[in-house]
Each structure stands twice: as C-alpha cells, then as structure tokens.
C-alpha cells in the first residue's frame, strides 16, 4: 500500500509562504543591536543552564594567592574588568569542582597584580607565567590532552603581551580573553581569542539619558594625546564649534559633556582599547570608533554597524561630514540601539543577566568545542 503524501492546497501553500516571509521580516526588524536576536537568546539560555568552568585551585596560604584568588574588595582602576570577571565567575554558579564536567579551564593569574607585585613585576612576569603553566600541565592532565585549547586566562592590561613571551604555546593555543584585542599586532587571534570591554567601575546605576534634542554637540572627545591618532584628532578639531576635542581632562563635568553629545569618540591611545567605549554606552552616546584593527567586544553577537560609526584613521579630516551626513531618523535608531546594548557593558558581582560577565561567558561558550584526547 502506497504511503499517502499530503500536498497543501494552493491557497494554504500561499498562506504558509506569506507567514514564513512575515516571520523572516519580523525577525530582521526585531534583531535590535544583534546579528540575530533569536539565535543569541536561545544560545544564551542554553549557556547559562549548562556551561561549567573548572578553576585551577590556589590555597589562601599560598604566598602568591593574591595573584590567583578573587579580590575581597571592590575592583577599581582602569583595568577593573579583569578583577570583575574573576569575582563574577565565583558568584555565578558556573564553577565546577569536577574537571570531568568542565567545558573550559580557567587559569586565574592576574596580569595586573603580577605587574604590581614587587616580587614579580614586569621583568619576572614571563617566567612566572611559563612556570605556572608548566606546573598545572604536570600536576593535572587537562592541559596536555588539548594542548591548552580549552583553557583561558583574562587580562585587561596590555602588558599581558609581555607576560606570554616565554609561553608562546599559551598565546597560540589557549583562549586569550583580553581588552587589547588588536588583530593587526601579533598575539591576538580573532575567532580563537575573546575581546572584552575595558569598563571603568561605577557605583551609580545608569544615568538619566538626555533626549536627542538635548544633545547639542555633534561629537566629543577628551583624553591624553598619547598616540599619533589622538594627536591628529585634537589637532584637526580642537577649534571646531560642533566637534569638541580636548588634549586632556576637561574643565567641568566629563559626564555632562558626554550627555550633551550625540556622538562620543573612542580614539585609540597606546592600544586600540580605552574605557571610552564603556563611557559612551553608560551615558547613551553613540560611539564613534577610531581605532584601526580593533576587534570590537562581543562582535560575534552585536551588530556594531547598527549602533556605532567606525571611522578609519585616514578619514579623521572627514569626520564632521561623515557624522553630519547621518540623518535624524538613522541617528534616532542608532541611539535607541545603544540604549538596548548598554546592559552588556556593565560589570556586577554577583553577575546579572546579560551583563558584561555573561557576554564574555557566551563568547567562551561559542569556543568550547575542542578535540580532546582520552585520559588514561
């Protein structure tokens, strides 16, 4: 007996096709600041419910315990993202004491604390990291079965590049979760490594955001001229009435300057990353990224083109024409998406849904599939 095959009527087929078409259109229209909102939210929930990380242990009595254990005080300073991640992970419920259940393995040494430790410092840091990785690979079997490809460390200070000078296999194999995500400079490998935002600690909640009409300044930047790019921005626009560019701290309120501006310039200094990206989101200002070769944070999830303007350094003289050419309608859409995305650019300990910690963990979750040799 032949199997019956159901064929929809032409009218039903047309209705199904229209429904699918509308679904696709709705999905595209509702993606917000994401490449695909639906894909992200589905994967995110799976990640939160299933992901486990094994943290290589350290005794509080160890003379270098301050290098490895989370700080008891609130993270502070320009490189607080590193400390915030460690504190948030400890309070997230994602840590497992059973390595066999772990998706990834965390090497919790702090680059910032190594740099500031008088017994280590910048000079002894490469040997310290080399010996640490050698120790865990001899004491535990997990590094050797993957060559470290399911291991990661976190560093926000650019000195992290120096830290791995005597551990090149870590740089090449492990996942580097770093603020200085410059894919032009040897050391950061896109798709393997993870870019995290450099965010200044804030005790206050999100500021009340000024309306578009209240933002009278076209663009704003203030910062030390510690790179040719910044010097070029200030030299080109310091006397302009619409773009306010200052070579150092401004007199008056930095926060109010951000709140009054439509666009806020993120201009590379020594490195491609600065805390100004986080500042822009916090104050509801559309970021303008002037940092060639910057692998922007969370770029596998966030569609940066939808809520920011990326300008090459060669186009600094054209900056006013580029920004003035953005229509009010397009700017309004970008501003709305900045407000949608800014929850991803705040740290909390313990972490909160969709904050910077969970976004970093999502990036790691996407990289968790590795080939593992069986343990004997």
């Amino acid at each position: 007996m032949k199997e019956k095959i159901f064929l929809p009527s032409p009218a039903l087929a047309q209705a199904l096709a229209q429904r699918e078409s509308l679904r696709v259109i709705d999905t595209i229209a509702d993606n917000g600041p994401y490449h695909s909102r639906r894909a992200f939210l589905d994967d995110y929930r799976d990640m939160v419910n299933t992901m486990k990380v094994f943290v290589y242990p350290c005794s509080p009595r160890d003379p270098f315990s301050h290098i490895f254990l989370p700080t008891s005080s609130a993270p502070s300073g320009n490189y607080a993202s590193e400390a915030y991640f460690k504190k948030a992970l400890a309070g997230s419920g994602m840590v497992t004491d059973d390595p066999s259940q772990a998706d990834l393995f965390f090497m919790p040494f702090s680059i910032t604390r190594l740099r500031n430790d008088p017994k280590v410092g910048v000079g002894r840091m490469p040997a310290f990291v080399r010996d640490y990785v050698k120790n865990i690979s001899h004491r535990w079997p997990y590094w050797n079965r993957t060559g470290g490809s399911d291991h990661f460390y976190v560093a926000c200070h650019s000195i992290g590049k120096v830290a791995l000078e005597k551990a090149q296999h870590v740089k090449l194999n492990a996942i580097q979760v770093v603020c200085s995500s410059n894919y032009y400079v040897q050391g950061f490998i896109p798709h393997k490594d993870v870019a995290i935002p450099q965010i200044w600690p804030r005790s206050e909640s999100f500021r009340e955001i000024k309306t578009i009409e209240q933002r009278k300044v076209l663009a704003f930047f203030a910062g030390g001229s510690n790179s040719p790019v910044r010097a070029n921005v200030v030299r080109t626009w310091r006397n302009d009435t619409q773009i306010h560019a200052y070579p150092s701290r401004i007199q008056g309120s930095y926060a109010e300057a951000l709140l009054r501006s439509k666009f806020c310039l993120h201009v590379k200094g020594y490195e491609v990353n600065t805390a100004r990206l986080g500042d822009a989101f916090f104050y509801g200002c559309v970021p303008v990224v002037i940092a060639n070769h910057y692998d922007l944070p969370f770029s596998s999830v966030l569609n940066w083109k939808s809520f920011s303007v990326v300008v090459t350094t060669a186009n600094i003289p054209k900056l006013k024409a580029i920004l003035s050419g953005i229509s009010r309608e397009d700017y309004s859409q970008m501003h709305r998406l900045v407000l949608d995305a800014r929850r991803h650019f705040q740290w909390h300990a313990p972490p909160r849904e969709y904050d910077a910690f969970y976004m970093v963990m999502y990036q790691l979750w996407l990289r968790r599939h590795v080939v593992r040799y069986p343990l004997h």
Side-chain angles (χ1 to χ4, degrees), residues 83-94:
Y84 260 120
F85 176 85
K86 200 181 294 186
K87 284 182 73 75
L89 177 64
S92 68
M94 289 184 164

Side-chain angles (χ1 to χ4, degrees), residues 111-171:
I111 295 296
T112 301
R113 291 198 164 193
L114 283 171
R115 174 178 177 265
N116 297 330
D117 191 298
K119 299 187 293 294
V120 183
V122 175
R124 297 186 179 90
M125 195 185 301
F128 186 99
V129 174
R130 176 200 62 199
D131 294 344
Y132 173 76
V133 176
K134 183 178 180 180
N135 178 54
I136 64 169
S137 66
H138 286 179
R139 183 180 175 188
W140 306 82
Y142 307 106
W143 176 278
N144 295 325
R145 69 175 177 177
T146 64
S149 60
D150 55 356
H151 286 55
F152 71 95
Y153 75 94
V154 178
C156 202
H157 200 292
S158 59
I159 205 71
K161 298 173 184 176
V162 176
L164 298 178
E165 284 181 348
K166 294 184 177 181
Q168 291 294 316
H169 59 305
V170 178
K171 184 185 297 185

Side-chain angles (χ1 to χ4, degrees), residues 83 94 143 151 192 204 214 224 234 238 245 254-255 269 298 312 323:
M94 289 184 164
W143 176 278
H151 286 55
K192 175 183 79 69
E204 56 184 324
Q214 292 174 304
V234 173
R238 68 181 305 166
Y254 176 72
F298 317 140
T312 64
L323 300 182

Side-chain angles (χ1 to χ4, degrees), residues 20-47:
E20 179 64 17
S21 176
L22 288 172
R23 187 191 65 79
V24 172
I25 292 171
D26 287 344
T27 300
I28 293 172
D30 195 40
N31 275 334
Y34 310 101
H35 294 296
S36 171
R37 184 190 295 270
R38 177 173 296 181
F40 167 59
L41 294 181
D42 289 348
D43 282 353
Y44 175 90
R45 187 51 50 197
D46 192 16
M47 178 271 296

Side-chain angles (χ1 to χ4, degrees), residues 159-317:
I159 205 71
K161 298 173 184 176
V162 176
L164 298 178
E165 284 181 348
K166 294 184 177 181
Q168 291 294 316
H169 59 305
V170 178
K171 184 185 297 185
L172 295 174
N173 294 346
I175 303 170
Q176 303 178 103
V177 182
V178 295
C179 291
S180 301
S181 50
N182 185 338
Y183 57 80
Y184 183 75
V185 176
Q186 185 179 7
F188 181 84
I189 305 173
H191 309 298
K192 175 183 79 69
D193 299 330
V194 172
I196 62 172
Q198 181 179 345
I199 301 174
W200 192 262
R202 305 184 192 280
S203 57
E204 56 184 324
S205 58
F206 284 133
R207 291 291 300 269
E208 181 179 349
I209 298 303
K210 293 186 182 297
T211 64
I212 295 174
E213 289 74 18
Q214 292 174 304
R215 294 178 180 269
K216 304 298 185 181
V217 177
L218 179 63
F220 168 78
F221 170 77
S225 297
N226 56 5
S227 73
V229 180
R230 288 190 179 184
N232 189 5
V233 168
V234 173
R235 183 172 58 251
T236 304
W237 298 109
R238 68 181 305 166
N239 295 320
D240 193 80
T241 58
Q242 292 180 278
I243 296 179
H244 295 183
Y246 302 91
S248 59
R249 292 179 181 271
I250 64 169
Q251 292 183 347
S253 171
Y254 176 72
E256 284 302 316
L258 293 170
L259 286 168
R260 289 196 306 267
S261 303
K262 293 179 180 177
F263 297 95
C264 295
L265 308 188
H266 167 100
V267 187
K268 78 175 295 294
Y270 291 117
E271 294 288 345
V272 291
N273 57 290
T274 81
R276 286 164 186 79
L277 208 57
D279 293 344
F281 283 101
F282 188 80
Y283 293 102
C285 187
V286 173
V288 177
V289 180
I290 308 177
N292 293 358
H293 316 299
Y294 186 13
D295 190 35
L296 290 162
F298 317 140
S299 57
S300 61
V301 178
L302 296 179
N303 178 12
W304 282 86
K305 291 181 180 179
S306 69
F307 57 79
S308 71
V309 181
V310 178
V311 178
T312 64
T313 55
N315 283 327
I316 288 172

